[in-house]
Amino acid sequence: MDDKRERKLKILNSIIRDYIETAEPIGSRTIAKKYNLGISAATIRNEMSDLEEMGLLIQPHTSAGRIPSQKAYRLYVDELMKISNLNQGLKNEIRDGYSQYVEEIDKAIKHTAKVIAQLTSYTSIVSLPEMDTLNCKHVQLVPIEDERVLMVVVTKENIIKNYELKLSKKVNDSELNKLSNILNHIVKGSAFENIGKDLTQKINDLTLKENELLQEVVPLFKEILLNRKKNSVYSNGVTNILNYPEFFDIVKAKGFLDIIEKKNKIAEVLNQVSKGSLNIVIGSENTVSEFKECSLITATYSLNGKNIGSIGVVGPVRMNYDYVVSVMNFLSSELNKQLNKEEKAKGDDIG
Amino acid sequence: MDDKRERKLKILNSIIRDYIETAEPIGSRTIAKKYNLGISAATIRNEMSDLEEMGLLIQPHTSAGRIPSQKAYRLYVDELMKISNLNQGLKNEIRDGYSQYVEEIDKAIKHTAKVIAQLTSYTSIVSLPEMDTLNCKHVQLVPIEDERVLMVVVTKENIIKNYELKLSKKVNDSELNKLSNILNHIVKGSAFENIGKDLTQKINDLTLKENELLQEVVPLFKEILLNRKKNSVYSNGVTNILNYPEFFDIVKAKGFLDIIEKKNKIAEVLNQVSKGSLNIVIGSENTVSEFKECSLITATYSLNGKNIGSIGVVGPVRMNYDYVVSVMNFLSSELNKQLNKEEKAKGDDIG
DNA sequence: GGTTAGCACTCATGATTAAAGAGTGCTAAC
DNA sequence: GTTAGCACTCTTTAATCATGAGTGCTAACC
């Protein structure tokens, strides 16, 4: 009985591999000729009929061969595919590519996105870490004009962010400088997610004449850091998708391009990624309807063991899962190493 | 003799207008029926034959009607088209749309790009002002890590830019603060293009213990402001182009999308725009080969009478020139007004 | 009983052909 | 100079047909 299943899966495997490569339905005769499985076309035909009954194959029309169903891809991904390793030369090349981004997390992540898109020839999407997952290293207020002030935030992870504030009154340069120093002193070293708790109290402990202004900055600070999120995503290789027949239809192509532009939709997709190794979402398994004709392979990256963002690949359902998985496996582990290495180096530096 | 030319142009005008609308070749009979020019199809036929001889019409094949040549579009743009005015309601709406961007030149320009893309349904491209065309209001050095320093520059035009510097040695916060103050004092108010001349001298006049570091920052300052340019462009409505039959071919579509991504190519196109009112470049008139199947309508914007950037529209050669010109006329004048208004307000404020 | 050869049947695909229709150019009449 | 008429061209569309890939079933085979 197990032997039977074995053979069916072998055939299914051939069909899926073939379809991923050619995007064309395949028939029993062709399978028999192309992949020598040691059985005749007629036998394959019988098995294919069974596989169709099991919901694993689909016949586009009576005489067109069969293509894998989504269920088949799921089975393939879960049981059948053999994940290979990238060759060592490529691995080294990728590793070297990171060298210049060691100290800047955002750039390292964008670089990862670029590499993924290049290697896979699909479209990569990544989320950049939200501020509330990071730690504050330095805050600086810079005057723009009258009551408009720029707040520059440098995180411990060397991410730099600018935020504009509007105070209630005009502040001159030296006042602002003083304010900046005080604020910096207070928030320096805190995790942003704790700033809510910490900050208000710390300020209350102080009794300074700048207190009034400070009181004003704090809620702005909090609001900005916590509300301006869920949209920091980045994509690469968007037009790669136009190379696949699935998207030769201009309407579908436009649909895809438009959805990739929608940062909030991409963020939604990337936020669903659960921690752990790789997530594979196939076609209609996608909860975001715009991706129902795509497959997604995503992974998370973390800092200090805390999950702070995701990287992913979007491609046609007929995706080269083996290869993409091997790419993502290597790149996500490599990215995590890079981030940790940085952490470690810094730790060494301080300690 | 002039009457004859007149009639030919009338026919040509009808053909061009029709082709812009339908993207289909048009024949004499159809013209006679659709546009009542008071002459018969046969007469139109003769005239069309003449127009073809003059290089203004093209026959895709013997029995397919005719389409305008690029020469025809050029003639149309130069002599034939009637530029209408946008209706007052729309104008007001556009004006109102600027209100929130009054104080920030970059945002106002990006907003303009968005409005252009929306109104025209083509793709808009704009160049953002290069630093060397602007004036320095404030410089602030912010510590990142060890010898790495962030330089935040605020221009008089309220553009905010971040640059990373790498100094030769580690600088602590208070040193950096002092350095920042001195630097700020020196460069405040200067036009960036003069910083080369001014700065070195001003520093030589000073004899401070910070002089050494200062000497180091200056060349970095100059290099950054002058070399990091020609790539600050922005586009909007890229996928709009996929709505036009000229780009239904996936290869052409991909070509277009890819070229819009190439910031340097876009910058090249936008830098060629000569000052003055509107520039119209039709098809193969384009020196940048990738745009040989597109038309471009561009305009410049200026600050204090100095040309500091361009805005433009890219569309198929079969572009709705009248309308796009009217849109661009209004938007470029409006953008210039916004920029000048800001300048004025600031002048009042200071004086 | 599973496997396979053989065969009739289905149906998309591609080629071929035919008809339709839009348009042209020319001629002759107005 | 203008226009009606007409023959001719050539694309487009539909229709017809042959091809071939593929299926499912049956019967023979091991």
Side-chain angles (χ1 to χ4, degrees), chain B residues 27-43:
Chain B
S28 54
R29 245 180 82 79
T30 317
I31 296 172
K33 264 190 286 179
K34 202 164 169 185
Y35 307 85
N36 29 3
L37 303 175
I39 40 178
S40 77
T43 310

Side-chain angles (χ1 to χ4, degrees), chain A residues 157-174:
Chain A
E157 299 77 16
N158 292 330
I159 292 177
I160 294 152
K161 285 261 163 93
N162 290 358
Y163 301 103
E164 278 193 46
L165 309 178
K166 207 150 193 164
L167 303 177
S168 63
K169 61 171 185 177
K170 206 164 159 174
V171 187
N172 70 35
D173 284 17
S174 65

